[in-house]
Amino acid sequence: MGGVSLDNYASMNPGEYSGDDPASVRMNRRLLSDAIGISPERIFAPSQIHEAEIGCINARFLSLSAAQQKEAMHGKDALVTDVLEICIAVSTADCVPVLVYAPNKKVVAAIHAGWRGTVKQIVAKTVNYMIVRYGCDASLIKAGIAPSISKEAFEVGDEVADAF
């Protein structure tokens, strides 16, 4: 499925915080929502800040206004939900996107794992959040790691090595 974004965002970019043309992002979200059979208002992606904060998309969150939802998602690098017929996502360039699913409770998470978040254990914290908040069985949880930058294309300084 292709999108309408151009240049650095060529093709399907539904990320509102990427710097892409807002009209292209809206059209990409419409294309995505049509493809998965939900309204564009049911696609949620946080304004990430390379930390380890987790957002929960639940009935209380869904009762908020669009502006309040946007505010609640600011500064989150992971989203977790058990609500059906919504789409949660994170944006990445060189960072690692991790998708997690707990089949026993039908809970999903989308995690943005940059090096700062990884140092702060964003993936482990999100999985623990799923276990504590939703009662997910750790032995059943499945995770997928999507493509990210490789060591050949990314050089880190001593500050990164020291943080680990």
Side-chain angles (χ1 to χ4, degrees):
M1 171 177 69
V4 300
S5 294
L6 303 172
D7 301 323
N8 290 339
Y9 307 103
S11 192
M12 175 53 73
N13 174 35
E16 293 179 301
Y17 307 105
S18 63
D20 193 0
D21 174 53
S24 294
V25 170
R26 280 191 301 278
M27 177 55 75
N28 289 335
R29 283 176 163 253
R30 170 53 65 194
L31 291 168
L32 174 60
S33 68
D34 288 349
I36 61 177
I38 63 171
S39 75
E41 295 78 28
R42 305 228 359 131
I43 299 172
F44 300 100
S47 172
Q48 303 154 192
I49 59 170
H50 296 273
E51 291 291 334
E53 297 298 318
I54 303 161
C56 181
I57 309 299
N58 57 18
R60 187 185 83 53
F61 174 88
L62 293 173
S63 73
L64 300 172
S65 70
Q68 290 170 318
Q69 289 176 349
K70 195 169 277 224
E71 184 179 325
M73 286 191 296
H74 178 75
K76 304 298 190 279
D77 280 272
L79 294 179
V80 178
T81 191
D82 66 347
V83 178
L84 299 176
E85 297 183 3
I86 67 164
C87 174
I88 59 171
V90 290
S91 298
T92 62
D94 53 349
C95 296
V96 180
V98 180
L99 304 176
V100 181
Y101 175 56
N104 70 311
K105 297 293 182 173
K106 294 189 173 36
V107 175
V108 295
I111 307 165
H112 168 255
W115 74 262
R116 288 177 184 88
T118 300
V119 166
K120 294 178 180 183
Q121 301 184 344
I122 182 73
V123 174
K125 286 180 180 178
T126 304
V127 169
N128 188 59
Y129 183 92
M130 294 168 69
I131 293 166
V132 170
R133 182 170 183 119
Y134 294 98
C136 298
D137 182 339
S139 69
L140 299 175
I141 290 177
K142 305 198 180 308
I145 300 171
S148 60
I149 199 164
S150 68
K151 68 179 182 177
E152 292 79 22
F154 188 71
E155 187 174 314
V156 299
D158 290 339
E159 75 283 358
V160 175
D162 291 345
F164 280 94

